[in-house]
Amino acid sequence: MHFIRIPGNNLAKRPMRTFLTCLGVALGVASFIALTGLSRGVEKAWTTGLDEKGVHILGMRKGAVEILTATLDENLAGQISGVEGVRAVSGELIDLIQVDNGATVLLSGWPAESSLWKTLHVARGNLGRSMDTGSVVLGESIAAALNKDIGDTVSLHAHGFTVKAIHKSTGTLNNNTIIMALSRMQKLTGKTGQVTVFNIRLATTGDRAFSAKVLSDLNRRFETLLFQETREIADNNKILQLFRAIAWGTSIIALMICAFVVLNTLLMSVTERKREIGIYSALGWKPSRIMMMIGMEAVIITSAGGVTGILSGAFGLEWLIRGTELNAYIDPRLDVWIVMETFLVSAVLGTLASIYPAWRAVRISPTEALRYE
């Protein structure tokens, strides 16, 4: 019998225990995949939304934990536009609201003269030369969810607004956003003269040194504001950092539990096979060979559980997002590196978990083992 077949046969002799252990590993890996995918999806949805609007730098209130809770004086836009290297500045007021079907979506207000309007890819309707205060533009996804089309009325904060256009975006967040004139939204939300963030476009793009200089000038001139490049927004946002930390912490705990499940299974297996292992030793098996046998059993279990967990986690992530309101805020994001890292981590943890049972196995005396019943 080939050596490589022995670990597989050992596991096959106890199918229910092997199955339950693989299931435990799969659940831990699936939770890791799902939670990591959720945190990455939030970041991706946000950064994609900013990229679609052609925003290079975002200006927000310094010290604000969450952007949506902070407000700024919209008149600061004129001062920001005077900084050398800044091509355009657009204040934006953002709020979370409930719409007709009870779903929570983003409501965004843009200045009438803002260049942001030119970034919209209008699928139906016509923006015209400017947005009137009684109209809104819907993202394609929220328009479908509300079953609204051009000319229909949408109720926002007990006020009716006519759908003037429907735009299509590649980003999940923008597709679920309702956009209106800034002046109307300020009155609607009681935030006259205020905005949430400043969207800044640079005169030169693709030049890291130029961007760094403008960013430094902005942060130096406006002490109460914080300016960040859009690609750094997700990394520096406190809420996303907290969400990311919770996801990683929970996932690591789940994987550690998996390691202990594998450890327990292998310890029980070594105890039950004491006589068998003693016979191997009596036949001249070296301790390294016995340890390798136990380690291979761990690798088989964690590999099978890892693959099952990755597939289950990916499917569960897609189902969770598509079947809930999360589809308006999260762009499911699982790349090859996350999958590979997860599989390797599960295999490594399983191997580490086999060290103690393997050590116990090689300490079994052949004479004592042969008397074991």
Side-chain angles (χ1 to χ4, degrees), residues 160-191:
F161 294 86
T162 303
V163 178
K164 189 173 185 179
I166 295 173
H167 72 94
K168 182 177 182 179
S169 301
T170 57
T172 300
L173 199 59
N174 286 351
N175 259 337
N176 286 277
T177 299
I178 300 176
I179 308 170
M180 64 169 55
L182 176 61
S183 59
R184 184 69 181 93
M185 183 173 171
Q186 288 172 334
K187 293 180 181 179
L188 189 70
T189 57
K191 296 180 180 179

Side-chain angles (χ1 to χ4, degrees), residues 112-177:
E113 70 283 359
S114 174
S115 59
L116 294 177
W117 296 106
K118 297 179 182 179
T119 65
L120 293 178
H121 300 284
V122 178
R124 299 193 296 279
N126 187 3
L127 292 177
R129 294 184 178 180
S130 63
M131 280 289 295
D132 59 79
T133 57
S135 301
V136 293
V137 177
L138 303 184
E140 193 172 51
S141 296
I142 190 60
L146 296 175
N147 194 27
K148 300 293 183 180
D149 209 334
I150 307 302
D152 291 342
T153 300
V154 178
S155 178
L156 305 174
H157 288 300
H159 292 78
F161 294 86
T162 303
V163 178
K164 189 173 185 179
I166 295 173
H167 72 94
K168 182 177 182 179
S169 301
T170 57
T172 300
L173 199 59
N174 286 351
N175 259 337
N176 286 277
T177 299

Side-chain angles (χ1 to χ4, degrees), residues 27-43 240 242-255 309-310 312-314 316-318 320-321 326 330-334 338 342:
L27 291 175
V29 171
S31 67
F32 183 91
I33 287 289
L35 289 171
T36 304
L38 282 173
S39 64
R40 295 284 182 89
V42 174
E43 298 170 16
L240 291 182
L242 178 61
F243 184 38
R244 195 183 303 126
I246 292 173
W248 274 95
T250 306
S251 300
I252 290 174
I253 291 172
L255 290 177
I310 289 170
S312 301
L317 175 64
E318 189 72 19
L320 178 64
I321 292 177
L326 292 175
I330 298 178
D331 184 8
R333 186 58 50 180
L334 282 178
I338 294 178
T342 305

Side-chain angles (χ1 to χ4, degrees), residues 281-295:
S281 298
L283 291 175
W285 276 34
K286 296 181 179 180
S288 60
R289 189 176 178 86
I290 295 175
M291 292 185 71
M292 187 181 298
M293 178 184 67
I294 304 299

Side-chain angles (χ1 to χ4, degrees), residues 61 64 67-73 93 191 194-197 225:
R61 180 175 295 281
I67 291 178
L68 295 182
T69 63
T71 55
L72 302 166
D73 183 355
L93 185 60
K191 296 180 180 179
Q194 297 178 326
V195 294
T196 306
V197 296
L225 302 182

Side-chain angles (χ1 to χ4, degrees), residues 131-366:
M131 280 289 295
D132 59 79
T133 57
S135 301
V136 293
V137 177
L138 303 184
E140 193 172 51
S141 296
I142 190 60
L146 296 175
N147 194 27
K148 300 293 183 180
D149 209 334
I150 307 302
D152 291 342
T153 300
V154 178
S155 178
L156 305 174
H157 288 300
H159 292 78
F161 294 86
T162 303
V163 178
K164 189 173 185 179
I166 295 173
H167 72 94
K168 182 177 182 179
S169 301
T170 57
T172 300
L173 199 59
N174 286 351
N175 259 337
N176 286 277
T177 299
I178 300 176
I179 308 170
M180 64 169 55
L182 176 61
S183 59
R184 184 69 181 93
M185 183 173 171
Q186 288 172 334
K187 293 180 181 179
L188 189 70
T189 57
K191 296 180 180 179
T192 303
Q194 297 178 326
V195 294
T196 306
V197 296
F198 290 109
N199 299 287
I200 302 170
R201 291 186 177 187
L202 300 180
T204 302
T205 59
D207 188 335
R208 295 295 299 276
F210 177 82
S211 300
K213 182 181 182 304
V214 176
L215 194 64
S216 177
D217 290 343
L218 288 168
N219 281 310
R220 185 178 65 255
R221 290 185 56 177
F222 301 91
E223 296 181 353
T224 60
L225 302 182
L226 175 65
F227 297 89
Q228 293 180 338
E229 292 186 76
T230 53
R231 56 189 175 83
E232 298 178 347
I233 291 297
D235 292 333
N236 296 314
N237 182 268
K238 297 300 181 183
I239 297 298
L240 291 182
Q241 287 177 354
L242 178 61
F243 184 38
R244 195 183 303 126
I246 292 173
W248 274 95
T250 306
S251 300
I252 290 174
I253 291 172
L255 290 177
M256 291 302 296
I257 292 174
C258 292
F260 281 105
V261 169
V262 174
L263 171 64
N264 181 66
T265 297
L266 294 179
L267 275 176
M268 293 177 65
S269 177
V270 167
T271 302
E272 292 174 353
R273 291 156 51 202
K274 190 173 182 179
R275 183 182 179 86
E276 176 188 331
I277 294 172
I279 292 174
Y280 289 146
S281 298
L283 291 175
W285 276 34
K286 296 181 179 180
S288 60
R289 189 176 178 86
I290 295 175
M291 292 185 71
M292 187 181 298
M293 178 184 67
I294 304 299
M296 288 182 65
E297 292 180 17
V299 170
I300 292 172
I301 290 173
T302 54
S303 296
V307 172
T308 304
I310 289 170
L311 295 175
S312 301
F315 175 79
L317 175 64
E318 189 72 19
W319 174 84
L320 178 64
I321 292 177
R322 301 305 176 195
T324 65
E325 288 188 18
L326 292 175
N327 61 5
Y329 309 103
I330 298 178
D331 184 8
R333 186 58 50 180
L334 282 178
D335 54 47
V336 176
W337 289 110
I338 294 178
V339 173
M340 291 180 61
E341 288 172 5
T342 305
F343 182 79
L344 288 175
V345 167
S346 63
V348 169
L349 285 176
T351 303
L352 292 176
S354 71
I355 292 177
Y356 179 66
W359 178 77
R360 287 281 301 272
V362 299
R363 287 176 59 86
I364 296 174
S365 168

